[in-house]
Amino acid sequence: MQRSCRPKYYPCPHSGAVYCQNAARFDAHKHRAIPLVCDAREGLSELGTALGSWKADSAWLERGRKAFAGWNELIAARQERTQTSDDPTYAQVIGVVNAQAAPEDYIISAAGGLPGELVKGWKVKNPGTFDCEFGFSCMGYELSAGWGVAMAEQDRDVFVMIGDGTYMMMNSDIYSSVLSGHKFILLVCDNGAMRSSTDCRMPKAVHPLTTC
């Protein structure tokens, strides 16, 4: 499985302040940001009240619309199917699943390269349908989470996307979900045996996971 693109980071040209909101004090403090330690819903509500009728400059909003349109064009190009013998990319797989999923269906991911690819390429059709554990890369969370959602939300399909490393860690939950009669749809992407973890290890001059 190939990744669609490497991340790039650009400095924000806007002169406004950056606010970082989190219920945990440790996670709310980020470099050059103003921390807001609060409940997510209540914090956003109070921010909205404090902003009142303020609106961003129309030129800034237009710039955002153009950037968003350009981003969508980039994702569409990355997700386009190609008639080659090469393995499909994460972006192409996500594009196919996204197109087939109903508006109420649920997608789950947590570890490896897939969370970043889903955040970039998955077009959310309804609120409350996208579950991406991104903070601590909890390998194995996806399978147990998919089983749990299948128990609680039996009127919609649940998609779980994982790499081969997560599959090797927690595949017993697949059997358990079948025994309990709770269906979810699992997509396992061949990532060359924990390639994402290997990429994180190699800059530190340690052995890749595949040769340990």
Side-chain angles (χ1 to χ4, degrees), residues 108-112 115 130-139 141-142:
I108 300 173
S109 186
F130 187 83
D131 181 355
C132 183
E133 196 295 308
F134 216 156
F136 302 99
S137 192
C138 296
M139 294 179 70
Y141 162 82
E142 308 96 310

Side-chain angles (χ1 to χ4, degrees), residues 54-212:
W54 181 88
K55 292 183 179 180
D57 182 81
S58 58
W60 182 254
L61 292 174
E62 183 58 29
R63 179 177 179 174
R65 293 188 186 100
K66 289 182 179 179
F68 184 59
W71 174 256
N72 285 331
E73 290 175 4
L74 171 64
I75 293 301
R78 297 286 185 175
Q79 291 184 343
E80 186 175 355
R81 302 185 199 183
T82 53
Q83 300 298 323
T84 68
S85 58
D86 295 334
D87 292 335
T89 65
Y90 276 159
Q92 291 170 329
V93 172
I94 289 168
V96 170
V97 177
N98 199 180
Q100 296 297 319
E104 69 276 6
D105 289 344
Y106 201 92
I107 179 75
I108 300 173
S109 186
L114 279 165
E117 295 288 346
L118 280 161
V119 167
K120 291 185 292 185
W122 185 271
K123 292 180 172 61
V124 176
K125 302 175 183 179
N126 265 339
T129 59
F130 187 83
D131 181 355
C132 183
E133 196 295 308
F134 216 156
F136 302 99
S137 192
C138 296
M139 294 179 70
Y141 162 82
E142 308 96 310
L143 291 168
S144 55
W147 182 16
V149 174
M151 291 181 188
E153 305 280 353
Q154 299 186 26
D155 57 343
R156 58 177 170 173
D157 282 330
V158 180
F159 293 91
V160 176
M161 297 190 73
I162 61 173
D164 48 21
T166 294
Y167 173 80
M168 289 188 284
M169 290 181 68
M170 291 292 288
N171 56 67
S172 60
D173 276 354
I174 303 171
Y175 182 59
S176 299
S177 70
V178 174
L179 287 179
S180 67
H182 297 105
K183 168 200 165 187
F184 65 86
I185 300 168
L186 174 65
L187 294 97
V188 182
C189 297
D190 181 0
N191 199 28
M194 299 188 182
R195 178 62 183 271
S196 294
S197 298
T198 298
D199 287 348
C200 292
R201 291 164 61 89
M202 294 310 292
K204 303 298 183 183
V206 296
H207 293 292
L209 287 171
T210 52
T211 61
C212 289

